[in-house]
């Protein structure tokens, strides 16, 4: 029996209709990052997959997740580096990361969580002009041949479903244990 792999949001990319992600994500001087553009779009949080809004920072589902439940936490203000954050932004950013970890643990019950920041293009940062922290749930044995041989990730649910799970878990999520 052949199993099906569903990644519906990738169809625009496969059809050649997707935007060049380097150009879309790597805002140059004077242009807003993809995150700033989403915030200014007027779209609802459901449409943009924003799961939490704080005073200075917010959390959003990663549009190209490494795995199910992959969140990004970032300041509203577009800054490139941790050293560019104002003290209140840094405090809220790390508090939001901590709460995001707790929400991911509650929503997805992973065996572990990766938390990481890529500073600058050379570090692998896809949006080097807008600092963001990745919160990625992980499961024992969650890597498979698809990533290494086909450059493909298997994501078993849509971003909308994942975002709903994280939103539902967010208010109950306390400090990470």
């Amino acid at each position: 029996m052949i199993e099906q792999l569903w990644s519906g949001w990738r169809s625009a990319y496969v059809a050649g209709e997707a935007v060049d992600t380097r150009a879309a994500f790597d805002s140059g001087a004077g242009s807003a990052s993809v995150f700033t553009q989403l915030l200014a779009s007027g779209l609802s949080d459901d449409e943009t997959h924003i799961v939490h809004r704080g005073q200075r920072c917010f959390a959003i589902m990663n549009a190209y997740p490494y795995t199910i439940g992959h969140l990004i936490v970032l300041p509203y203000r577009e800054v490139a580096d941790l050293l560019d954050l104002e003290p209140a932004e840094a405090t809220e950013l790390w508090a939001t990361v901590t709460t995001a970890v707790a929400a991911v643990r509650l929503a997805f019950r992973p065996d572990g969580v990766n938390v990481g920041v890529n500073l600058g293009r050379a570090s692998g940062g896809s949006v080097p002009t807008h600092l963001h922290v990745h919160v990625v749930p992980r499961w024992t044995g969650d890597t498979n041949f698809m990533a290494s041989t086909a450059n493909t990730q298997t994501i078993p649910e849509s971003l909308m479903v994942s975002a709903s799970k994280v939103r539902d878990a967010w208010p109950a999520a306390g400090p990470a244990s």
Side-chain angles (χ1 to χ4, degrees), residues 52 57 73 87-103 133 135 170 173-176:
H52 169 78
C57 299
V73 177
E89 287 172 318
T91 298
E92 185 176 324
L93 179 75
W94 293 112
T96 305
V97 168
T98 300
T99 304
V101 168
V133 181
V135 176
W170 200 279

